[in-house]
Amino acid sequence: MKHKISAFFLIIGLLSHTLPLFSIDDYYNFPKQSYKGSVSFESSRTLCIFPFAAQNEDNTKEYLMKGIPSVLLSDLRNLEYTYVENPRKNIIYHSFGENPQSTLQEKIDAESTNVKRKKREINDEKDLEELRIGKKQVSPEKDPRYIKITIKQMWEKKPLSMDEAFGAATKFNCDYILSGSFEVNENNLKTKAFLFDDYEGKSSSFEHQTSVIRAYQEMSPLGESIKEKLQGKEATTLGISANGEEGALVYLDGIYLGKTPLSEKKFPIGKRSLFIFKEGFYPYKSDILLEKGKKFQLDVSLTLKLNRSFISVTSNVESDVYLGIQFLGKTPITRMPIPSGLNRLRVSKEGYIDSFRSIDAKDEEETVIDVPMREGQTEVYYKNKQNVFLDHTYKDFTTYSIYGSLLFYASYAYLNYASRQFYSGARSQVSLTNALAITTFSQNNPNEFLFWYYSQNRIINDAESEAKNLKRIAGTLPIENRRDRQLVAGPMVILMGLMLVSAATFYFLGLDKETLEFGYLPVNPASVSYGQTSREGYGYMQFNVRY
């Protein structure tokens, strides 16, 4: 009876703690929550380039082991991405609840009004399938089938065979591996390369033959073949001109292709974003379609920017006026049209010190500047402002300090090496190095043991003393102090630090208002839209310039 009563109270106690659990769904509002399923796809892959193996031994041709992959690397550098029809899925979010209308991320974005995120165009396999059949069109930046490529140079590793590629891909975390071999026969160079795809588990082979003398110059066809394979999509040629304007910068999907006139450039087919920029003109931006088997040719008409800002310059003597590198005329200058944005104004006259001013020209506004010119020599005036000692400037002493730190680091490295050598030298002179050997020797030769022990101990003590003295002079850097990662001061370490501090100090002292340059530079193509003013995007300010 007693046990039954105890069990009854125990059950009541458990129920008192269990009943609130039934309200968890209501507490978290689970019945009303519903999320649409979504998928996160891979966004980047790594291409590892290994040295090439020599088929026949020839010490005079060893440079080709790294030389051939280096040339191929130059052809693959502008490979921005690879096209993969079925990209890997990184994270899969399954749908939850009844009649889901939006994904979890979309719900979070809707509730976080102050946080701006890029809208994802492709959220699941259905969206991806619509891309494949052409029902949906997005730019390559938002298409998960276009995966960015990062190139990793593995020059210090050994050349790989095709059978070793699978293990190396896992070991070095490579999605693609490029390696191969070469054979030199008299003046002929035969190159065999293979590209291993870790995702597909397949290798593609390539061959190229040329002369040894012209090997680097004639390696482009091999590089183009590998590039086309990595792109994963058929390419077509395109030519772009800018209505006779030369030197305009051409970008396709954010990848720099060259300057106008541009011809015979290959690029994967599909919908592309074209951007053309030249200073003094409005940027051109448009979507184009590259089709299979059709050469794309386009002649763009760039619109000249009109100078909508004005400047007036006066001085106490007639002087030449320059805006950047453009000559505006002689003072006085009254209400002359100039481009908007940041720039540098220089007023110059022989026998007088050049005057530099930074200006920020704004649309429909006039900048008025009065420059008092001072007699003197420009070269002497600006040179002396930077001098530290005789003809040596702050920049010179910054460089000298860096060289000094390298010199003290070399001394530090040598002293550490010499310290280790003392230990190594003593180790070769000590004959018995373990307790069993010492015990056996002392029992079998008691008369000789004391003399041997004294001489051996003296060798060890002398080596340890010399090694510690050298280490004390060198000091220890945290990267080499593996025990506690602490800095141990020594003359070499202290002098090294002083040199680095001196370099930073001289560099800081060498910066003044005379060492600033203002001008124009192209902006990131992705951030430019038609009609954007130069003040918003093209002005720049640069340090470390001496006039």
Side-chain angles (χ1 to χ4, degrees):
M1 186 66 183
K2 185 185 296 183
H3 295 296
K4 291 181 179 180
I5 295 174
S6 300
F8 174 77
F9 283 112
L10 180 61
I11 291 171
I12 294 298
L14 289 173
L15 287 174
S16 65
H17 287 81
T18 305
L19 287 175
L21 294 176
F22 292 115
S23 63
I24 287 180
D25 283 353
D26 296 327
Y27 181 79
Y28 287 103
N29 201 21
F30 281 161
K32 297 181 181 179
Q33 296 289 342
S34 62
Y35 304 121
K36 191 177 178 181
S38 62
V39 177
S40 174
F41 296 96
E42 61 178 321
S43 59
S44 65
R45 288 189 179 184
T46 303
L47 166 65
C48 299
I49 305 180
F50 286 79
F52 279 45
Q55 293 291 350
N56 43 13
E57 293 186 7
D58 187 350
N59 294 334
T60 62
K61 302 296 186 294
E62 285 187 355
Y63 67 93
L64 293 172
M65 295 178 65
K66 297 180 181 178
I68 292 175
S70 297
V71 175
L72 296 178
L73 173 64
S74 64
D75 291 325
L76 298 173
R77 280 193 185 278
N78 62 348
L79 178 67
E80 186 75 6
Y81 46 72
T82 180
Y83 178 87
V84 179
E85 192 65 42
N86 297 289
R88 281 189 293 244
K89 303 178 185 66
N90 281 346
I91 303 175
I92 300 176
Y93 297 95
H94 296 282
S95 59
F96 175 80
E98 298 180 359
N99 301 321
Q101 299 297 322
S102 57
T103 65
L104 177 61
Q105 188 61 56
E106 288 172 345
K107 286 209 169 192
I108 294 174
D109 294 343
E111 295 172 1
S112 306
T113 55
N114 296 328
V115 180
K116 292 184 178 180
R117 296 185 179 92
K118 290 184 178 180
K119 182 181 178 182
R120 286 178 54 188
E121 300 285 345
I122 309 301
N123 293 299
D124 51 32
E125 281 288 351
K126 182 182 177 183
D127 293 338
L128 193 58
E129 185 59 31
E130 290 181 352
L131 272 181
R132 293 192 182 104
I133 62 177
K135 188 176 180 181
K136 179 178 286 191
Q137 295 284 341
V138 297
S139 61
E141 301 90 46
K142 297 180 180 180
D143 191 338
R145 296 175 298 175
Y146 289 93
I147 303 171
K148 287 190 173 296
I149 285 287
T150 302
I151 299 179
K152 188 189 298 184
Q153 304 173 33
M154 313 294 285
W155 300 156
E156 303 307 318
K157 306 300 180 182
K158 70 179 184 67
L160 297 178
S161 66
M162 202 174 293
D163 296 334
E164 296 171 320
F166 179 79
T170 304
K171 180 179 179 181
F172 300 110
N173 196 24
C174 304
D175 297 289
Y176 300 99
I177 284 183
L178 176 62
S179 189
S181 61
F182 64 91
E183 183 178 0
V184 178
N185 186 7
E186 294 181 353
N187 190 37
N188 294 323
L189 173 65
K190 185 175 183 181
T191 305
K192 293 182 178 181
F194 71 86
L195 178 68
F196 175 73
D197 185 342
D198 187 48
Y199 181 54
E200 296 288 342
K202 299 178 181 178
S203 293
S204 302
S205 299
F206 307 87
E207 288 191 12
H208 182 67
Q209 193 162 347
T210 182
S211 63
V212 176
I213 298 175
R214 299 282 300 173
Y216 288 176
Q217 292 86 348
E218 298 176 354
M219 198 65 68
S220 292
L222 179 60
E224 285 295 326
S225 300
I226 298 172
K227 183 178 176 181
E228 289 180 11
K229 182 64 179 178
L230 276 168
Q231 284 174 335
K233 200 170 188 179
E234 290 192 54
T236 187
T237 56
L238 68 154
I240 296 175
S241 56
N243 197 19
E245 291 291 339
E246 297 184 356
L249 309 181
V250 180
Y251 298 85
L252 210 58
D253 288 345
I255 301 173
Y256 175 67
L257 295 187
K259 298 180 180 180
T260 56
L262 197 69
S263 62
E264 299 302 321
K265 282 286 184 179
K266 283 191 174 183
F267 211 81
I269 60 175
K271 186 179 179 182
R272 304 285 173 231
S273 177
L274 174 66
F275 175 83
I276 302 176
F277 169 85
K278 185 174 183 180
E279 185 176 338
F281 294 81
Y282 285 105
Y284 177 88
K285 189 175 182 181
S286 176
D287 290 331
I288 61 174
L289 181 63
L290 301 183
E291 299 180 86
K292 179 181 177 181
K294 293 184 179 180
K295 182 179 178 179
F296 182 85
Q297 191 71 37
L298 181 65
D299 187 20
V300 176
S301 179
L302 297 179
T303 304
L304 184 67
K305 283 184 180 179
L306 299 177
N307 295 334
R308 300 172 58 187
S309 300
F310 305 92
I311 190 170
S312 297
V313 184
T314 58
S315 61
N316 54 339
V317 292
E318 185 183 71
S319 307
D320 296 329
V321 181
Y322 297 86
L323 186 68
I325 60 174
Q326 181 183 2
F327 176 66
L328 298 183
K330 295 183 179 291
T331 57
I333 291 176
T334 305
R335 200 172 172 77
M336 177 174 284
I338 60 170
S340 303
L342 286 168
N343 216 320
R344 182 197 65 175
L345 184 75
R346 177 167 69 94
V347 183
S348 176
K349 182 178 177 61
E350 186 176 354
Y352 288 80
I353 300 170
D354 288 359
S355 178
F356 298 92
R357 302 290 176 88
S358 62
I359 63 170
D360 185 5
K362 299 180 179 179
D363 291 343
E364 308 300 339
E365 292 187 11
E366 180 183 2
T367 303
V368 180
I369 297 177
D370 181 40
V371 181
M373 300 294 288
R374 296 171 291 174
E375 293 186 6
Q377 296 181 7
T378 301
E379 295 81 3
V380 174
Y381 174 78
Y382 286 105
K383 187 176 181 180
N384 284 345
K385 285 182 72 64
Q386 288 290 321
N387 277 2
V388 181
F389 178 74
L390 296 180
D391 291 333
H392 299 279
T393 64
Y394 287 108
K395 182 179 178 181
D396 295 333
F397 273 83
T398 300
T399 306
Y400 300 154
S401 299
I402 293 175
Y403 286 157
S405 66
L406 293 176
L407 176 63
F408 288 122
Y409 179 77
S411 301
Y412 164 83
Y414 172 75
L415 289 172
N416 276 277
Y417 170 77
S419 174
R420 291 191 294 270
Q421 288 300 106
F422 272 108
Y423 282 115
S424 299
R427 191 177 295 112
S428 63
Q429 298 178 49
V430 177
S431 56
L432 300 179
T433 57
N434 58 71
L436 179 60
I438 294 173
T439 304
T440 304
F441 184 70
S442 63
Q443 292 174 353
N444 296 337
N445 302 281
N447 296 328
E448 299 177 11
F449 175 74
L450 291 177
F451 173 76
W452 169 85
Y453 181 80
Y454 173 77
S455 60
Q456 297 280 293
N457 193 53
R458 184 173 180 180
I459 292 172
I460 295 172
N461 289 338
D462 290 346
E464 189 174 22
S465 176
E466 292 292 341
K468 285 183 176 180
N469 287 335
L470 293 176
K471 191 64 178 174
R472 194 177 297 112
I473 297 173
T476 306
L477 294 174
I479 58 175
E480 296 185 20
N481 191 358
R482 298 181 180 178
R483 181 177 299 176
D484 50 14
R485 297 291 180 185
Q486 291 183 355
L487 176 68
V488 179
M492 294 301 107
V493 171
I494 293 173
L495 291 172
M496 210 189 317
L498 288 175
M499 287 294 101
L500 291 175
V501 171
S502 298
T505 304
F506 284 121
Y507 178 80
F508 176 77
L509 293 174
L511 299 177
D512 58 26
K513 65 180 180 181
E514 307 289 355
T515 60
L516 295 177
E517 179 185 1
F518 297 90
Y520 291 101
L521 278 180
V523 297
N524 184 356
S527 65
V528 177
S529 59
Y530 183 85
Q532 185 179 28
T533 67
S534 58
R535 179 173 174 270
E536 293 173 315
Y538 312 133
Y540 76 93
M541 179 176 66
Q542 180 172 309
F543 285 101
N544 302 328
V545 177
R546 295 269 315 287
Y547 304 109

